[in-house]
Structure formats: C-alpha cells, structure tokens
Amino acid sequence: MPKRGKKVAAEDGEEPKSEPETKKSKGAAKKNGKEAAGEGPVMYEDPPDQKTSPSGKSATLKICSWNVDGLRAWIKKKGLDWVKKKHQISLLVSSSDKEGYSGVGLPSRQCPLKVSYGIGEEEHDQEGRVTVAEFDSFVLVTAYVPNAGRGLVRLKYSQRWDGAFRKFLKDLASRKPLVLCRDLNVAHEEIDLRNPKGNKKNAGFTPQERQGLGELLQDVPLTDSFQHLYSNTAYAYTFWTYMMNAPSKNVGWRLDYFLLSHSLLPALCDSKIRSKALGSDHCPITLYLAM
C-alpha cells in the first residue's frame, strides 16, 4: 500500500495497515478543468466488456481479482453479493502463519492440475502472500505483494521480496505462460495515481518500488494488460483511501493488475476495472482471455 497516516485494525487475515498518504503537491492540488468548471470530480467509466480477441476469437476464460481488505467487513458491505451474482465458485486459500497478516484466496470453477503456496523461501513465505494454480495452458499466480510501510520501514524488505519473487516467476514462466494478478502495492507510472508529484517519497510510488515492478515486467517478461489496452486512460484506479472522501473524489491509485506472459497477448480480449463494485477500499478487476 501507499504510505498511510491512520491505523486501521487488521481483520480476518489481512495485514495490519494504515491509510495512505493523500498529500498533494502545489501542482497536484490544482483542480483539473472539469472540476474547476464546477462539473465535479472526474470519475472513471468502465467501458463495455470486449469479449473477443484481436483475431476475433470469443473469450473462454474469465478471471476476477479483488483485494477485499477485511473479510468480515467486506461481507457486511455486500461484497460477497457481487461475487455470488457474477460467479459460482469453489475456494482455495493461502493463509498466513502470523495472525492478522495477508492471506490470499483463489476461487475457481475449474479444478487446477496443481496448487502450491508461497515462493519457496522461508523469509517470504510466513505471511500467506502467494497462491499458484497450474492449468492446462497457463499458470495463475495470485499475490499480495508486501508494501514498504509507513515511513518506508519495510522498503528494504520489499526490495528483497521483489528480487526473490522475480526469480520465482521467471522459473514458472520457463514452463508455461503466466497470469499474475491481485494487489502489487505499487503504482507503476504517474498516470496510475491521482497525485503523483505529492507521493514520490511515499510507499507505493517510490523510485525503488516502481523500478522493482519495471524489472519484473522486463525480466520475466510480463505485460500489464490494462496498460496494453488502455495506455492513455487517466483516472482509472483500483484503490481509494477512506480518508478525506477520496472515493467520491476519485483520488485513487491503480495498485491491482493482471500481468500476462507475452505469448498470451493474442488471447487477450479485455482487462476491466470494476470501480463501482462496493465492499472494500479496493475494487475488483476482471480479465477476459480467448484460450
């Protein structure tokens, strides 16, 4: 997560965390033309789903990723109702060895060929951050990447994680194409957060974290599916702090991704941000592939 200033109680296997910094630079504090004209904040409108690949093949695979934050709170806020409406699922869960930390779940209609947890290094496998599911034609990795923390106290650890995770993914990608998803806890480019100038020293947008994601994209290699399809689309975020009415103002960050092996790009139909789905400080994202 980006730098936080207000502590939030951990709940149901989520990492203890604080709310992100919403500091604005002088430039970022100026309202854009639409807001200055009195038309209100600029909100992202998710376009209609595209369910065919560039070659015209129909989508056969749909993957949804959602950082639900606290599980019980998410259920109370009707997040589960959205999932039930969209999907009929079974559930695989990677839990943390430490109470109040992380944990990722993998709902799936189709039974994977193989499921594993963690990246094979003890230092990084105590917090339940990674689940790997192998299918016939690809490997799905769902990961909750550690954040640098308030005051960047975990920045050095997050850099060690980046190197170990990148090595782990390269090994997987040498065998089958990869789909990597969930909360990667970094906004890669300035377009990926509302106030880039005011957050360059904050967790989630430090040069080190951005470089780490860039090296992962280059070395594995992987492609950011949303950026690939919607490279010039602004105000498209997946996380909003609850502070300062950030959701209603669309002061957010794009922290959640679908990253794909290059060999899967011909199968890419769409990469969606479901910004109107309620239940968490993150929104769901959806991927369509024609496999």
Side-chain angles (χ1 to χ4, degrees), residues 41 100 102 110 160 174 203:
S102 319
Q110 180 181 347
R160 294 197 304 274
S174 69

Side-chain angles (χ1 to χ4, degrees), residues 72-230:
R72 278 183 285 188
W74 173 71
I75 292 172
K76 289 178 182 178
K77 293 175 182 177
K78 309 299 183 183
L80 185 59
D81 293 351
W82 186 89
V83 173
K84 287 180 176 178
K85 184 177 181 180
K86 301 291 183 180
H87 311 279
Q88 296 176 349
I89 58 175
S90 57
L91 185 63
L92 305 166
V93 178
S94 173
S95 61
S96 172
D97 291 347
K98 298 180 181 180
E99 185 176 354
Y101 270 76
S102 319
V104 291
L106 174 59
S108 179
R109 287 183 178 181
Q110 180 181 347
C111 184
L113 301 175
K114 180 182 178 182
V115 177
S116 59
Y117 305 101
I119 64 174
E121 295 195 15
E122 185 175 357
E123 179 186 14
H124 305 302
D125 287 346
Q126 305 301 309
E127 298 177 358
R129 294 186 175 276
V130 175
T131 298
V132 180
E134 181 180 351
F135 295 90
D136 288 331
S137 55
F138 73 101
V139 176
L140 175 64
V141 180
T142 176
Y144 184 20
V145 172
N147 66 71
R150 186 181 182 188
L152 306 182
V153 295
R154 294 194 90 192
L155 179 59
K156 289 189 180 298
Y157 170 72
S158 71
Q159 290 178 284
R160 294 197 304 274
W161 160 279
D162 283 349
F165 191 45
R166 186 166 63 247
K167 179 181 176 182
F168 173 74
L169 293 176
K170 284 187 71 172
D171 181 63
L172 286 179
S174 69
R175 293 177 254 166
K176 279 187 179 180
L178 291 187
V179 175
L180 169 63
C181 67
R182 207 177 184 271
D183 181 359
L184 302 189
N185 259 322
V186 58
H188 190 213
E189 304 291 351
E190 290 196 356
I191 198 173
D192 295 322
L193 73 165
R194 187 61 176 269
N195 298 315
K197 292 182 180 179
N199 283 289
K200 289 185 177 180
K201 295 182 180 180
N202 293 336
F205 200 58
T206 62
Q208 297 94 324
E209 292 167 291
R210 296 172 66 192
Q211 179 180 343
L213 179 52
E215 290 176 352
L216 184 149
L217 292 169
Q218 181 176 346
D219 293 351
V220 176
L222 297 170
T223 295
D224 177 349
S225 61
F226 185 85
Q227 194 277 337
H228 180 76
L229 295 174
Y230 302 103

Side-chain angles (χ1 to χ4, degrees), residues 237-254:
Y237 311 126
T238 66
F239 167 84
W240 304 261
T241 173
Y242 290 129
M243 297 173 63
M244 300 176 66
N245 297 316
S248 64
K249 298 175 183 177
N250 196 29
V251 178
W253 303 59
R254 188 167 74 96

